[in-house]
């Protein structure tokens, strides 16, 4: 699969989510992340869908070998409630990139591009194709390729928008 160049409009405006909670960070970091989430989520899923989502972003010290993760909390069929965890063991810029990566996974679940089988942790469905995750390297999983291809362009577009606001 070839990495495509993703682009995002920088004239987007932030959109309120149904619920956004940010834990494990100080007031300045919470403000920064609230701004990023309310801009990135509508860029990924559209304003209407953004208004139907509950997202908790939790900053944690140790995620093992990962710097972030995203999980649905309500139902594996059309989930609307998500927990995103981000490691504090990375720079502020890298935390934004990790946030963009994990929000891309959220988008994949919301748009039914990615589906986790709750009865078989080694199988997932990506765009109508069932994939045995035990037979693929992490970086070769198509949803990871998509998230890696999206994370930097989304972060760069947000930072550009933020600079235009000041």
């Amino acid at each position: 699969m070839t990495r495509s160049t993703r682009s995002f409009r920088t004239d987007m405006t932030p959109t309120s989510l149904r619920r956004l909670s940010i834990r494990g960070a100080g007031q300045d970091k919470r403000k920064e992340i609230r701004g990023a989430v309310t801009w990135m989520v509508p860029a990924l899923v559209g304003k209407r869908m953004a208004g139907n989502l509950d997202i908790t972003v939790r900053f944690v010290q140790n995620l093992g070998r990962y710097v972030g993760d995203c999980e649905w909390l309500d139902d594996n069929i059309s989930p609307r409630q998500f927990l995103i965890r981000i490691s504090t063991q990375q720079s502020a810029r890298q935390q934004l990139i990790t946030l963009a990566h994990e929000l891309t996974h959220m988008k994949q679940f919301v748009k039914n591009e990615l589906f986790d089988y709750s009865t078989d942790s080694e199988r997932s469905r990506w765009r109508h194709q069932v994939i045995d995750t035990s037979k693929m390297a992490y970086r070769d999983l198509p949803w990871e390729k998509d998230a890696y291809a999206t994370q930097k362009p989304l972060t760069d577009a947000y930072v550009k928008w933020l600079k235009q606001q000041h």
Side-chain angles (χ1 to χ4, degrees), residues 121-163:
S121 63
E122 292 185 347
R123 281 186 334 141
S124 292
R125 187 178 67 228
W126 174 251
R127 297 182 175 163
H128 308 292
Q129 179 184 358
V130 177
I131 295 177
D132 183 345
T133 60
S134 69
K135 295 182 179 178
M136 295 183 80
Y138 165 80
R139 285 277 203 159
D140 292 334
L141 296 167
W143 50 90
E144 290 302 336
K145 287 182 177 184
D146 181 51
Y148 279 107
T150 302
Q151 67 185 22
K152 191 157 179 343
L154 181 60
T155 303
D156 290 346
Y158 169 67
V159 169
K160 182 177 180 182
W161 174 84
L162 196 59
K163 286 178 181 175

Side-chain angles (χ1 to χ4, degrees), residues 42-83:
L44 289 166
V45 301
K47 288 184 177 201
R48 185 185 308 163
M49 179 56 71
N52 292 317
L53 298 175
D54 293 347
I55 300 173
T56 298
V57 178
R58 184 173 295 144
F59 285 87
V60 297
Q61 207 161 5
N62 187 355
L63 281 174
R65 63 183 187 167
Y66 299 105
V67 293
D69 63 18
C70 172
E71 68 177 291
W72 45 266
L73 299 175
D74 49 347
D75 190 2
N76 64 332
I77 301 170
S78 299
R80 299 293 180 257
Q81 297 175 351
F82 296 89
L83 170 62

Side-chain angles (χ1 to χ4, degrees), residues 70 72 76 109 114-120 123-125 143:
C70 172
W72 45 266
N76 64 332
F109 286 119
L114 178 59
F115 177 83
D116 283 339
Y117 290 96
S118 57
T119 57
D120 184 350
R123 281 186 334 141
S124 292
R125 187 178 67 228
W143 50 90

